[in-house]
Amino acid sequence: SSGINAEWPLRPGKSGAFDAQVAEHWEKGGEGAVNLAHAVVNACKTPSNFKFLYDLEQPLISKMNIIVQKIYGGEGVEISEEIADKIKNLENQGYGNLPICMAKTHLSLSCDVSKKGVPTGFKVPIQDVRLSAGAGFVYPLAGTISTMPGLPTRPAFYNIDVDTDTGDITGLF
């Protein structure tokens, strides 16, 4: 809690936050997060005027273009015939009305990390498009991007063991 007093003037109202609470769960367990939990519940009860940047009924490519134009300042997306077919397949399967979650580098508004600041006149190349049906969104992979693999059905910790006689750990790798 050493930095709390210095940070406490950054409370709600000064920076547009709904509420701010000190979370000390790391020190006090559940008791240290009760006020934060109440603030989250209150925030969830508050009416919101959230709306998507685009109409969800638009085609997936249109939604991608809107994101590139209105958020990144670019001209639109660049899509190969193979990716266009993949997008059309998703739409034909009934996933066209899902929102878009772009996966791209954080190092530039474009996909070219050498273009710093606020570049203009660029297109964002879509290398792949994937469906996250359970979460309810489609995510285009813009430029060269790595994604994390899903978790296995059996967690790796089941294979880890410590020999209490020798202290040797097995099953880590």
Side-chain angles (χ1 to χ4, degrees), residues 79-101:
I79 296 178
S80 70
E81 198 173 311
E82 176 188 352
I83 299 303
D85 289 344
K86 200 168 183 181
I87 291 169
K88 187 55 72 186
N89 190 33
L90 287 171
E91 291 173 339
N92 289 341
Q93 292 175 0
Y95 298 112
N97 64 339
L98 292 178
I100 298 290
C101 181

Side-chain angles (χ1 to χ4, degrees), residues 61 64-65 68-69 75-79 102 123-126:
I61 292 176
M64 291 177 217
N65 278 320
V68 170
Q69 293 162 356
E75 293 178 2
V77 293
E78 204 171 68
I79 296 178
M102 297 287 272
K123 288 197 172 226
V124 172
I126 303 301

Side-chain angles (χ1 to χ4, degrees), residues 2-156:
S2 62
I4 290 173
N5 292 336
E7 297 169 2
W8 203 240
L10 303 174
R11 291 192 66 189
K14 294 185 179 181
S15 56
F18 176 83
D19 196 355
Q21 296 294 325
V22 176
E24 299 176 300
H25 54 283
W26 50 270
E27 179 182 6
K28 299 178 181 176
E31 181 183 323
V34 169
N35 289 340
L36 175 61
H38 289 301
V40 170
V41 168
N42 288 335
C44 291
K45 290 179 182 176
T46 303
S48 169
N49 61 355
F50 172 82
K51 66 178 192 167
F52 284 97
L53 184 63
Y54 43 75
D55 180 355
L56 287 174
E57 299 305 314
Q58 289 182 297
L60 293 171
I61 292 176
S62 296
K63 292 185 254 190
M64 291 177 217
N65 278 320
I66 289 170
I67 291 170
V68 170
Q69 293 162 356
K70 293 190 176 183
I71 302 295
Y72 307 144
E75 293 178 2
V77 293
E78 204 171 68
I79 296 178
S80 70
E81 198 173 311
E82 176 188 352
I83 299 303
D85 289 344
K86 200 168 183 181
I87 291 169
K88 187 55 72 186
N89 190 33
L90 287 171
E91 291 173 339
N92 289 341
Q93 292 175 0
Y95 298 112
N97 64 339
L98 292 178
I100 298 290
C101 181
M102 297 287 272
K104 63 174 278 311
T105 181
H106 62 286
L107 298 174
S108 175
L109 288 171
S110 75
C111 288
D112 181 349
V113 296
S114 69
K115 292 183 178 179
K116 303 297 182 194
V118 186
T120 58
F122 63 89
K123 288 197 172 226
V124 172
I126 303 301
Q127 304 297 328
D128 196 6
V129 63
R130 298 181 185 166
L131 170 67
S132 188
F137 61 86
V138 172
Y139 63 105
L141 301 175
T144 304
I145 189 107
S146 297
T147 58
M148 293 179 63
L151 296 174
T153 54
R154 179 172 157 64

